[in-house]
Amino acid sequence: MLVLSRQRDETIMIGDEIEITVVDIRGDKVRLGITAPTCIAVHRKEVYEAIRRENEQAARIANGDLASLTRPIRPGPERTKTGPSRLASRPVSTDGEANQSKRSAS
Amino acid sequence: MEVRTTRFGTIEIAEDRVIEFPKGLLGFPACKRYCLLEPGEDACFFWLQSLDDPHLAFVVTDPALFVPEYSVPIRQEQIGSLELTKLEDAQVFVIVNKVEDDLTGNLQGPLVINTLTRVGEQIVLAEKRWTTRHPLVKVSPVADRSSRAASA
């Protein structure tokens, strides 16, 4: 990692278009000003990490976790047929071996 | 095409139903191709099954069904990378997690899919209004147990 020392109001350039300026230093807190083209997403890393962690946890969901939900819940406005159904397929098992009830029982 | 999955066995998916996430999903950069599986007629929850990893599947839902005021601000360059010619072609999903008796939706990292080209992207929202665990609906523990018993 490249480490640079900067004082207040000094700037670092990343490439030709990204500028990071030390706006303020107070105690253990540094305020940074960032100028970047709109095509560059700028986020606090915690936000990325939170979404990544949530993705990883959500990937562990099992069939059984949803078993009680396939019927009763139908909230919100009428669903439009052009929405998700334009993308979805039915999970028809072609090998007949593995099926949902078998998985959820395990 | 045939797709191997650990949850549903081997399933047959039409080539024109494959959804591509060129950047993958956060935490899963190598898995770029998915398909959306509909558990039944009028289902509110779908499975987003990876075509690259049989183990990898997410439960997703349309957040508009649960949080009507939710919307995803899409930046101009995201419209470009999603190849969207008009916003009506976009379908938003959120990944669902089960946290104790709640099903929660990751409203901070929604999936936006172009329904015409089937190219998608997980978008990171900067605003703090939405969290990664927005409660969507309660799962009844009693109903859960009975359904497990029935299938065992």
Side-chain angles (χ1 to χ4, degrees), chain A residues 1 6 9-10 13 32 35 39 43 47 52 54-56 58 60 65-66 68-69 76 85 87 89-90 104-105:
Chain A
M1 188 194 292
R6 300 273 68 190
D9 295 332
E10 290 185 334
M13 296 291 300
L32 301 173
T35 309
C39 62
H43 294 290
V47 178
R52 182 185 56 75
E54 196 61 16
N55 279 355
E56 286 169 356
R60 294 189 205 129
D65 292 333
L66 278 188
S68 59
L69 282 180
S85 54
L87 296 164
S89 311
R90 287 292 171 73
S104 61

PDB file of all heavy atoms in Angstrom, chain A residues 1 6 9-10 13 32 35 39 43 47 52 54-56 58 60 65-66 68-69 76 85 87 89-90 104-105:
ATOM      1  N   MET A   1       0.840  -1.206   0.000  1.00  0.00           N
ATOM      2  CA  MET A   1       0.000   0.000   0.000  1.00  0.00           C
ATOM      3  C   MET A   1       0.872   1.251   0.000  1.00  0.00           C
ATOM      4  O   MET A   1       1.829   1.331   0.770  1.00  0.00           O
ATOM      5  CB  MET A   1      -0.900   0.003   1.258  1.00  0.00           C
ATOM      6  CG  MET A   1      -1.927   1.106   1.233  1.00  0.00           C
ATOM      7  SD  MET A   1      -2.682   1.367   2.854  1.00  0.00           S
ATOM      8  CE  MET A   1      -3.600  -0.137   3.042  1.00  0.00           C
ATOM      9  N   ARG A   6      -0.165  13.887   4.366  1.00  0.00           N
ATOM     10  CA  ARG A   6      -0.772  15.107   3.850  1.00  0.00           C
ATOM     11  C   ARG A   6      -1.197  15.995   5.008  1.00  0.00           C
ATOM     12  O   ARG A   6      -1.556  15.507   6.081  1.00  0.00           O
ATOM     13  CB  ARG A   6      -2.034  14.778   3.010  1.00  0.00           C
ATOM     14  CG  ARG A   6      -1.799  13.911   1.810  1.00  0.00           C
ATOM     15  CD  ARG A   6      -1.409  14.691   0.569  1.00  0.00           C
ATOM     16  NE  ARG A   6      -0.111  15.306   0.656  1.00  0.00           N
ATOM     17  CZ  ARG A   6       0.346  16.175  -0.227  1.00  0.00           C
ATOM     18  NH1 ARG A   6      -0.410  16.548  -1.243  1.00  0.00           N
ATOM     19  NH2 ARG A   6       1.531  16.683  -0.105  1.00  0.00           N
ATOM     20  N   ASP A   9      -5.959  20.624   3.801  1.00  0.00           N
ATOM     21  CA  ASP A   9      -6.113  21.324   2.520  1.00  0.00           C
ATOM     22  C   ASP A   9      -5.163  20.817   1.426  1.00  0.00           C
ATOM     23  O   ASP A   9      -5.150  21.368   0.330  1.00  0.00           O
ATOM     24  CB  ASP A   9      -5.937  22.839   2.674  1.00  0.00           C
ATOM     25  CG  ASP A   9      -7.025  23.445   3.537  1.00  0.00           C
ATOM     26  OD1 ASP A   9      -8.132  22.869   3.565  1.00  0.00           O
ATOM     27  OD2 ASP A   9      -6.768  24.456   4.209  1.00  0.00           O
ATOM     28  N   GLU A  10      -4.388  19.797   1.724  1.00  0.00           N
ATOM     29  CA  GLU A  10      -3.563  19.213   0.670  1.00  0.00           C
ATOM     30  C   GLU A  10      -4.331  18.084  -0.017  1.00  0.00           C
ATOM     31  O   GLU A  10      -5.220  17.473   0.561  1.00  0.00           O
ATOM     32  CB  GLU A  10      -2.237  18.701   1.236  1.00  0.00           C
ATOM     33  CG  GLU A  10      -1.330  19.848   1.661  1.00  0.00           C
ATOM     34  CD  GLU A  10       0.046  19.393   2.120  1.00  0.00           C
ATOM     35  OE1 GLU A  10       0.177  18.238   2.580  1.00  0.00           O
ATOM     36  OE2 GLU A  10       0.971  20.192   2.042  1.00  0.00           O
ATOM     37  N   MET A  13      -3.938  13.197  -6.001  1.00  0.00           N
ATOM     38  CA  MET A  13      -4.579  12.892  -7.283  1.00  0.00           C
ATOM     39  C   MET A  13      -4.482  11.391  -7.526  1.00  0.00           C
ATOM     40  O   MET A  13      -3.415  10.798  -7.352  1.00  0.00           O
ATOM     41  CB  MET A  13      -3.863  13.606  -8.441  1.00  0.00           C
ATOM     42  CG  MET A  13      -3.913  15.114  -8.424  1.00  0.00           C
ATOM     43  SD  MET A  13      -5.563  15.745  -8.750  1.00  0.00           S
ATOM     44  CE  MET A  13      -5.891  15.093 -10.386  1.00  0.00           C
ATOM     45  N   LEU A  32     -12.533  13.972   4.543  1.00  0.00           N
ATOM     46  CA  LEU A  32     -11.967  13.969   3.199  1.00  0.00           C
ATOM     47  C   LEU A  32     -12.978  14.525   2.209  1.00  0.00           C
ATOM     48  O   LEU A  32     -14.171  14.221   2.292  1.00  0.00           O
ATOM     49  CB  LEU A  32     -11.597  12.534   2.786  1.00  0.00           C
ATOM     50  CG  LEU A  32     -10.585  11.812   3.688  1.00  0.00           C
ATOM     51  CD1 LEU A  32     -10.447  10.361   3.248  1.00  0.00           C
ATOM     52  CD2 LEU A  32      -9.234  12.507   3.653  1.00  0.00           C
ATOM     53  N   THR A  35     -13.416  14.416  -5.186  1.00  0.00           N
ATOM     54  CA  THR A  35     -13.958  14.823  -6.477  1.00  0.00           C
ATOM     55  C   THR A  35     -13.641  13.718  -7.470  1.00  0.00           C
ATOM     56  O   THR A  35     -12.479  13.351  -7.638  1.00  0.00           O
ATOM     57  CB  THR A  35     -13.299  16.133  -6.952  1.00  0.00           C
ATOM     58  OG1 THR A  35     -13.367  17.089  -5.893  1.00  0.00           O
ATOM     59  CG2 THR A  35     -13.999  16.686  -8.171  1.00  0.00           C
ATOM     60  N   CYS A  39     -18.986   8.365 -13.026  1.00  0.00           N
ATOM     61  CA  CYS A  39     -18.928   6.929 -13.318  1.00  0.00           C
ATOM     62  C   CYS A  39     -18.142   6.171 -12.255  1.00  0.00           C
ATOM     63  O   CYS A  39     -18.128   4.948 -12.244  1.00  0.00           O
ATOM     64  CB  CYS A  39     -18.343   6.670 -14.696  1.00  0.00           C
ATOM     65  SG  CYS A  39     -16.656   7.234 -14.862  1.00  0.00           S
ATOM     66  N   HIS A  43     -18.042   5.062  -2.011  1.00  0.00           N
ATOM     67  CA  HIS A  43     -18.830   4.641  -0.849  1.00  0.00           C
ATOM     68  C   HIS A  43     -17.902   4.400   0.322  1.00  0.00           C
ATOM     69  O   HIS A  43     -16.732   4.074   0.141  1.00  0.00           O
ATOM     70  CB  HIS A  43     -19.570   3.325  -1.133  1.00  0.00           C
ATOM     71  CG  HIS A  43     -20.617   3.436  -2.179  1.00  0.00           C
ATOM     72  ND1 HIS A  43     -21.792   4.116  -1.981  1.00  0.00           N
ATOM     73  CD2 HIS A  43     -20.674   2.957  -3.438  1.00  0.00           C
ATOM     74  CE1 HIS A  43     -22.525   4.046  -3.070  1.00  0.00           C
ATOM     75  NE2 HIS A  43     -21.873   3.350  -3.977  1.00  0.00           N
ATOM     76  N   VAL A  47     -20.235   0.002   3.980  1.00  0.00           N
ATOM     77  CA  VAL A  47     -21.479  -0.284   3.260  1.00  0.00           C
ATOM     78  C   VAL A  47     -21.291  -1.495   2.346  1.00  0.00           C
ATOM     79  O   VAL A  47     -22.107  -2.420   2.334  1.00  0.00           O
ATOM     80  CB  VAL A  47     -21.917   0.950   2.451  1.00  0.00           C
ATOM     81  CG1 VAL A  47     -23.168   0.651   1.655  1.00  0.00           C
ATOM     82  CG2 VAL A  47     -22.146   2.135   3.380  1.00  0.00           C
ATOM     83  N   ARG A  52     -21.908  -7.315   1.355  1.00  0.00           N
ATOM     84  CA  ARG A  52     -21.235  -8.583   1.055  1.00  0.00           C
ATOM     85  C   ARG A  52     -21.558  -9.629   2.136  1.00  0.00           C
ATOM     86  O   ARG A  52     -21.890 -10.768   1.835  1.00  0.00           O
ATOM     87  CB  ARG A  52     -19.721  -8.360   0.980  1.00  0.00           C
ATOM     88  CG  ARG A  52     -18.936  -9.603   0.616  1.00  0.00           C
ATOM     89  CD  ARG A  52     -17.432  -9.377   0.657  1.00  0.00           C
ATOM     90  NE  ARG A  52     -16.964  -8.895   1.937  1.00  0.00           N
ATOM     91  CZ  ARG A  52     -16.851  -9.653   3.039  1.00  0.00           C
ATOM     92  NH1 ARG A  52     -17.174 -10.919   2.984  1.00  0.00           N
ATOM     93  NH2 ARG A  52     -16.451  -9.134   4.168  1.00  0.00           N
ATOM     94  N   GLU A  54     -24.117  -9.708   4.107  1.00  0.00           N
ATOM     95  CA  GLU A  54     -25.529 -10.088   4.028  1.00  0.00           C
ATOM     96  C   GLU A  54     -25.758 -11.059   2.872  1.00  0.00           C
ATOM     97  O   GLU A  54     -26.516 -12.009   2.995  1.00  0.00           O
ATOM     98  CB  GLU A  54     -26.393  -8.832   3.887  1.00  0.00           C
ATOM     99  CG  GLU A  54     -27.861  -9.042   4.169  1.00  0.00           C
ATOM    100  CD  GLU A  54     -28.136  -9.514   5.590  1.00  0.00           C
ATOM    101  OE1 GLU A  54     -27.271  -9.403   6.467  1.00  0.00           O
ATOM    102  OE2 GLU A  54     -29.260 -10.028   5.813  1.00  0.00           O
ATOM    103  N   ASN A  55     -25.100 -10.825   1.753  1.00  0.00           N
ATOM    104  CA  ASN A  55     -25.172 -11.762   0.625  1.00  0.00           C
ATOM    105  C   ASN A  55     -24.730 -13.150   1.065  1.00  0.00           C
ATOM    106  O   ASN A  55     -25.384 -14.157   0.768  1.00  0.00           O
ATOM    107  CB  ASN A  55     -24.263 -11.303  -0.524  1.00  0.00           C
ATOM    108  CG  ASN A  55     -24.900 -10.214  -1.381  1.00  0.00           C
ATOM    109  OD1 ASN A  55     -26.056  -9.851  -1.186  1.00  0.00           O
ATOM    110  ND2 ASN A  55     -24.140  -9.695  -2.327  1.00  0.00           N
ATOM    111  N   GLU A  56     -23.603 -13.198   1.778  1.00  0.00           N
ATOM    112  CA  GLU A  56     -23.055 -14.499   2.173  1.00  0.00           C
ATOM    113  C   GLU A  56     -23.989 -15.213   3.141  1.00  0.00           C
ATOM    114  O   GLU A  56     -24.189 -16.424   3.052  1.00  0.00           O
ATOM    115  CB  GLU A  56     -21.662 -14.312   2.788  1.00  0.00           C
ATOM    116  CG  GLU A  56     -20.634 -13.991   1.716  1.00  0.00           C
ATOM    117  CD  GLU A  56     -19.287 -13.542   2.273  1.00  0.00           C
ATOM    118  OE1 GLU A  56     -19.157 -13.403   3.500  1.00  0.00           O
ATOM    119  OE2 GLU A  56     -18.384 -13.314   1.465  1.00  0.00           O
ATOM    120  N   ALA A  58     -27.266 -14.686   3.368  1.00  0.00           N
ATOM    121  CA  ALA A  58     -28.514 -15.000   2.677  1.00  0.00           C
ATOM    122  C   ALA A  58     -28.347 -16.234   1.800  1.00  0.00           C
ATOM    123  O   ALA A  58     -29.306 -16.960   1.556  1.00  0.00           O
ATOM    124  CB  ALA A  58     -28.971 -13.806   1.844  1.00  0.00           C
ATOM    125  N   ARG A  60     -27.109 -18.865   2.581  1.00  0.00           N
ATOM    126  CA  ARG A  60     -27.241 -20.094   3.385  1.00  0.00           C
ATOM    127  C   ARG A  60     -28.699 -20.471   3.616  1.00  0.00           C
ATOM    128  O   ARG A  60     -28.995 -21.454   4.278  1.00  0.00           O
ATOM    129  CB  ARG A  60     -26.570 -19.907   4.748  1.00  0.00           C
ATOM    130  CG  ARG A  60     -25.078 -19.754   4.612  1.00  0.00           C
ATOM    131  CD  ARG A  60     -24.423 -19.783   5.984  1.00  0.00           C
ATOM    132  NE  ARG A  60     -23.160 -19.058   5.917  1.00  0.00           N
ATOM    133  CZ  ARG A  60     -22.805 -18.097   6.747  1.00  0.00           C
ATOM    134  NH1 ARG A  60     -23.602 -17.750   7.735  1.00  0.00           N
ATOM    135  NH2 ARG A  60     -21.661 -17.487   6.602  1.00  0.00           N
ATOM    136  N   ASP A  65     -36.769 -22.927   4.983  1.00  0.00           N
ATOM    137  CA  ASP A  65     -36.997 -21.606   5.560  1.00  0.00           C
ATOM    138  C   ASP A  65     -38.161 -20.889   4.893  1.00  0.00           C
ATOM    139  O   ASP A  65     -38.760 -19.988   5.456  1.00  0.00           O
ATOM    140  CB  ASP A  65     -35.736 -20.740   5.429  1.00  0.00           C
ATOM    141  CG  ASP A  65     -34.603 -21.264   6.302  1.00  0.00           C
ATOM    142  OD1 ASP A  65     -34.920 -21.907   7.313  1.00  0.00           O
ATOM    143  OD2 ASP A  65     -33.445 -21.038   5.963  1.00  0.00           O
ATOM    144  N   LEU A  66     -38.457 -21.285   3.681  1.00  0.00           N
ATOM    145  CA  LEU A  66     -39.534 -20.632   2.951  1.00  0.00           C
ATOM    146  C   LEU A  66     -40.774 -21.500   2.850  1.00  0.00           C
ATOM    147  O   LEU A  66     -41.796 -21.073   2.347  1.00  0.00           O
ATOM    148  CB  LEU A  66     -39.074 -20.308   1.524  1.00  0.00           C
ATOM    149  CG  LEU A  66     -38.261 -19.044   1.320  1.00  0.00           C
ATOM    150  CD1 LEU A  66     -38.084 -18.802  -0.146  1.00  0.00           C
ATOM    151  CD2 LEU A  66     -38.956 -17.855   1.961  1.00  0.00           C
ATOM    152  N   SER A  68     -43.072 -22.414   4.684  1.00  0.00           N
ATOM    153  CA  SER A  68     -44.351 -21.960   5.230  1.00  0.00           C
ATOM    154  C   SER A  68     -44.883 -20.745   4.468  1.00  0.00           C
ATOM    155  O   SER A  68     -45.936 -20.232   4.776  1.00  0.00           O
ATOM    156  CB  SER A  68     -44.175 -21.596   6.701  1.00  0.00           C
ATOM    157  OG  SER A  68     -43.202 -20.579   6.819  1.00  0.00           O
ATOM    158  N   LEU A  69     -44.139 -20.268   3.506  1.00  0.00           N
ATOM    159  CA  LEU A  69     -44.498 -19.005   2.868  1.00  0.00           C
ATOM    160  C   LEU A  69     -45.038 -19.156   1.456  1.00  0.00           C
ATOM    161  O   LEU A  69     -45.463 -18.194   0.856  1.00  0.00           O
ATOM    162  CB  LEU A  69     -43.271 -18.101   2.793  1.00  0.00           C
ATOM    163  CG  LEU A  69     -42.911 -17.410   4.092  1.00  0.00           C
ATOM    164  CD1 LEU A  69     -41.686 -16.553   3.867  1.00  0.00           C
ATOM    165  CD2 LEU A  69     -44.056 -16.563   4.599  1.00  0.00           C
ATOM    166  N   GLY A  76     -49.238  -6.169  -0.566  1.00  0.00           N
ATOM    167  CA  GLY A  76     -48.940  -5.124  -1.538  1.00  0.00           C
ATOM    168  C   GLY A  76     -49.894  -5.084  -2.711  1.00  0.00           C
ATOM    169  O   GLY A  76     -50.940  -5.740  -2.714  1.00  0.00           O
ATOM    170  N   SER A  85     -42.175 -12.343 -13.780  1.00  0.00           N
ATOM    171  CA  SER A  85     -42.518 -13.541 -14.548  1.00  0.00           C
ATOM    172  C   SER A  85     -41.895 -13.529 -15.937  1.00  0.00           C
ATOM    173  O   SER A  85     -41.791 -14.555 -16.590  1.00  0.00           O
ATOM    174  CB  SER A  85     -44.037 -13.682 -14.650  1.00  0.00           C
ATOM    175  OG  SER A  85     -44.579 -12.504 -15.172  1.00  0.00           O
ATOM    176  N   LEU A  87     -38.933 -13.060 -16.357  1.00  0.00           N
ATOM    177  CA  LEU A  87     -37.585 -13.586 -16.175  1.00  0.00           C
ATOM    178  C   LEU A  87     -37.565 -15.014 -15.652  1.00  0.00           C
ATOM    179  O   LEU A  87     -36.593 -15.720 -15.804  1.00  0.00           O
ATOM    180  CB  LEU A  87     -36.817 -12.705 -15.174  1.00  0.00           C
ATOM    181  CG  LEU A  87     -36.540 -11.270 -15.578  1.00  0.00           C
ATOM    182  CD1 LEU A  87     -36.152 -10.456 -14.356  1.00  0.00           C
ATOM    183  CD2 LEU A  87     -35.449 -11.223 -16.619  1.00  0.00           C
ATOM    184  N   SER A  89     -38.309 -18.967 -14.429  1.00  0.00           N
ATOM    185  CA  SER A  89     -38.589 -20.295 -14.945  1.00  0.00           C
ATOM    186  C   SER A  89     -39.128 -21.127 -13.801  1.00  0.00           C
ATOM    187  O   SER A  89     -38.972 -20.786 -12.646  1.00  0.00           O
ATOM    188  CB  SER A  89     -37.315 -20.954 -15.479  1.00  0.00           C
ATOM    189  OG  SER A  89     -36.611 -20.105 -16.330  1.00  0.00           O
ATOM    190  N   ARG A  90     -39.751 -22.227 -14.134  1.00  0.00           N
ATOM    191  CA  ARG A  90     -40.184 -23.154 -13.092  1.00  0.00           C
ATOM    192  C   ARG A  90     -39.080 -24.165 -12.816  1.00  0.00           C
ATOM    193  O   ARG A  90     -38.496 -24.702 -13.753  1.00  0.00           O
ATOM    194  CB  ARG A  90     -41.437 -23.917 -13.539  1.00  0.00           C
ATOM    195  CG  ARG A  90     -42.679 -23.092 -13.543  1.00  0.00           C
ATOM    196  CD  ARG A  90     -43.061 -22.732 -12.109  1.00  0.00           C
ATOM    197  NE  ARG A  90     -44.135 -21.767 -12.094  1.00  0.00           N
ATOM    198  CZ  ARG A  90     -45.407 -22.053 -12.406  1.00  0.00           C
ATOM    199  NH1 ARG A  90     -45.741 -23.275 -12.755  1.00  0.00           N
ATOM    200  NH2 ARG A  90     -46.313 -21.133 -12.378  1.00  0.00           N
ATOM    201  N   SER A 104     -35.652 -29.980   2.385  1.00  0.00           N
ATOM    202  CA  SER A 104     -36.095 -29.244   3.553  1.00  0.00           C
ATOM    203  C   SER A 104     -36.198 -30.148   4.772  1.00  0.00           C
ATOM    204  O   SER A 104     -36.185 -29.691   5.892  1.00  0.00           O
ATOM    205  CB  SER A 104     -37.449 -28.577   3.275  1.00  0.00           C
ATOM    206  OG  SER A 104     -38.412 -29.557   2.985  1.00  0.00           O
ATOM    207  N   ALA A 105     -36.281 -31.458   4.533  1.00  0.00           N
ATOM    208  CA  ALA A 105     -36.374 -32.366   5.665  1.00  0.00           C
ATOM    209  C   ALA A 105     -35.014 -32.607   6.291  1.00  0.00           C
ATOM    210  O   ALA A 105     -34.920 -33.008   7.433  1.00  0.00           O
ATOM    211  CB  ALA A 105     -36.973 -33.698   5.203  1.00  0.00           C
TER     212      ALA A 105
END
